[in-house]
Amino acid sequence: MSESVLTGYEVEITRRFECSNPQLFEELVDQLSTAFFAGNETSLATYHRGQQTFTFHIELPPLLDRAAAVEQAWRRVDGVMQGLRLPPGARHFGTGAIAVIPPVTTHPAVPHDTTPEPPT
């Protein structure tokens, strides 16, 4: 039987932008995604065209405390942002939001009998 597993913190950092047109924002999203996903397949990123935001979702290893998890996520996003080349017509407005999702314990699926009851 499998054992329970403790996950690490997940940190979500949203950055805000202003682009002169939707295509420019799409190009910015491509650039951010390429830099963010380089060498890290467990991360997730989302973006909102209307609000022109890009959110980095970073899953961190278990056993990091909250402060260490946030610091590690912040350094990773800063690394991506330092390499960003804003094209003409695009501005970065900074961090719009930070969410810290605490670790959870996942439990293995418990097998159960799915045999239908005989008709009565």
Side-chain angles (χ1 to χ4, degrees):
M1 180 176 225
S2 300
E3 294 182 24
S4 299
V5 176
L6 178 66
T7 66
Y9 280 96
E10 181 179 340
V11 179
E12 298 174 354
I13 300 174
T14 301
R15 295 295 182 118
R16 297 181 308 130
F17 298 90
E18 181 182 85
C19 296
S20 58
N21 64 62
Q23 183 178 351
L24 188 59
F25 181 69
E26 292 292 330
E27 291 171 16
L28 192 58
V29 165
D30 288 344
Q31 191 182 151
L32 287 164
S33 297
T34 299
F36 183 56
F37 291 121
N40 193 330
E41 299 79 31
T42 62
S43 296
L44 174 69
T46 57
Y47 62 94
H48 189 285
R49 284 185 193 97
Q51 295 176 356
Q52 295 191 350
T53 58
F54 187 93
T55 302
F56 301 89
H57 303 266
I58 303 167
E59 293 180 25
L60 295 154
L63 307 178
L64 284 179
D65 66 19
R66 180 184 169 98
V70 171
E71 181 180 343
Q72 188 171 334
W74 195 260
R75 276 184 286 161
R76 179 146 178 241
V77 170
D78 273 351
V80 169
M81 295 305 294
Q82 287 175 3
L84 181 65
R85 295 180 188 188
L86 286 173
R91 291 182 15 184
H92 175 233
F93 279 101
T95 301
I98 298 175
V100 181
I101 299 150
V104 296
T105 302
T106 59
H107 299 283
V110 177
H112 60 279
D113 187 0
T114 58
T115 306
E117 292 291 323
T120 53

